[in-house]
Amino acid sequence: GQQVMQIPQYQHVQEGEDFTTYCNSSTTLSNIQWYKQRPGGHPVFLIQLVKSGEVKKQKRLTFQFGEAKKNSSLHITATQTTDVGTYFCAGTNGQNFVFGPGTRLSVLP
Amino acid sequence: NAGVTQTPKFQVLKTGQSMTLQCAQDMNHNSMYWYRQDPGMGLRLIYYSASEGTTDKGEVPNGYNVSRLNKREFSLRLESAAPSQTSVYFCASFERKNTEAFFGQGTRLTVV
């Protein structure tokens, strides 16, 4: 079945440093979504990418969808303590909606 | 507009007990999903309902049953709870395929 992997599993950064998490799928995706889950909270939708090679920005966050539509990345510039949480990618090949295992980000002030 | 509502928020069960987790959405969404999240882990799909009247197994369906009662409600039942089912359970709904998921607040279940 479809598998979605993410690296790294954990990332500790100093406030102000950049952060990147990578998402890889075993199959071609029709789209990819990114979610953020604060500690003790529930996943909240951030963005969806649909087109091959697509790049979208939300303030300090930059999202990319690979040319082959099998990988994606989320980059945060100059992290802040409010960025703490787990970032999940999720993809669908038209059947199930599958989440990656997430990257847990901690930001040291 | 409450979005996705899950009840209860917390539950402690003894091994062998049964219970039903309730999920309701008020967004007129077609698709509803149940996930479990173990500590430090991602979200694993238990069951989903692509539309009213249909249900399908996900990645980890054993030990669970579901009912899509109507378009609004999708319940998850544990017939005989086991300690391995200790987890946080999230319900999510989608308007249609390839749209964003809206999650409930989660049910934190402990089986002792």
Side-chain angles (χ1 to χ4, degrees):
Chain A
Q2 178 185 349
Q3 290 188 327
V4 178
M5 304 305 297
Q6 281 184 256
I7 54 170
Q9 187 176 4
Y10 302 96
Q11 185 78 56
H12 306 278
V13 299
Q14 204 72 36
E15 189 174 19
E17 291 181 337
D18 292 356
F19 159 76
T20 304
T21 174
Y22 300 91
C23 176
N24 292 286
S25 170
S26 58
T27 60
T28 301
L29 301 170
S30 55
N31 66 68
I32 195 147
Q33 297 179 359
W34 285 91
Y35 292 79
K36 177 183 178 181
Q37 183 178 26
R38 294 182 187 277
H42 61 280
V44 175
F45 175 81
L46 293 176
I47 206 161
Q48 176 171 280
L49 304 172
V50 179
K51 298 177 183 177
S52 170
E54 189 170 12
V55 178
K56 287 188 176 180
K57 292 189 176 185
Q58 288 181 347
K59 298 183 179 177
R60 295 177 294 104
L61 278 61
T62 302
F63 304 84
Q64 290 189 308
F65 201 10
E67 294 291 340
K69 301 185 76 172
K70 295 181 72 172
N71 58 74
S72 181
S73 65
L74 159 59
H75 179 81
I76 302 178
T77 304
T79 55
Q80 300 176 358
T81 55
T82 54
D83 295 325
V84 165
T86 301
Y87 292 84
F88 294 99
C89 63
T92 177
N93 60 4
Q95 302 297 321
N96 292 339
F97 191 66
V98 179
F99 280 80
T103 296
R104 184 180 296 180
L105 173 65
S106 63
V107 180
L108 305 174
Chain B
N1 189 342
V4 179
T5 303
Q6 287 183 238
T7 56
K9 287 186 171 53
F10 301 93
Q11 183 73 49
V12 178
L13 290 178
K14 293 182 179 179
T15 297
Q17 286 186 316
S18 62
M19 80 162 293
T20 300
L21 281 64
Q22 307 286 353
C23 176
Q25 52 92 8
D26 61 4
M27 296 172 283
N28 201 37
H29 287 174
N30 289 310
S31 300
M32 298 183 74
Y33 282 52
W34 275 106
Y35 293 92
R36 62 176 287 174
Q37 185 175 37
D38 299 317
M41 301 288 286
L43 295 154
R44 291 188 292 170
L45 181 62
I46 306 172
Y47 269 95
Y48 67 101
S49 171
S51 61
E52 186 179 357
T54 69
T55 60
D56 286 286
K57 295 179 180 180
E59 179 188 357
V60 289
N62 291 344
Y64 304 95
N65 284 299
V66 291
S67 295
R68 184 72 182 268
L69 304 169
N70 47 55
K71 193 171 186 180
R72 287 188 66 248
E73 299 171 289
F74 188 38
S75 62
L76 178 71
R77 182 160 178 85
L78 286 70
E79 291 291 351
S80 179
S84 61
Q85 294 177 305
T86 293
S87 190
V88 180
Y89 291 84
F90 287 102
C91 176
S93 74
F94 301 70
E95 180 180 1
R96 59 185 184 280
K97 195 170 61 176
N98 297 334
T99 60
E100 71 179 271
F102 291 83
F103 282 83
Q105 299 293 323
T107 295
R108 283 153 179 78
L109 175 66
T110 301
V111 183
V112 297

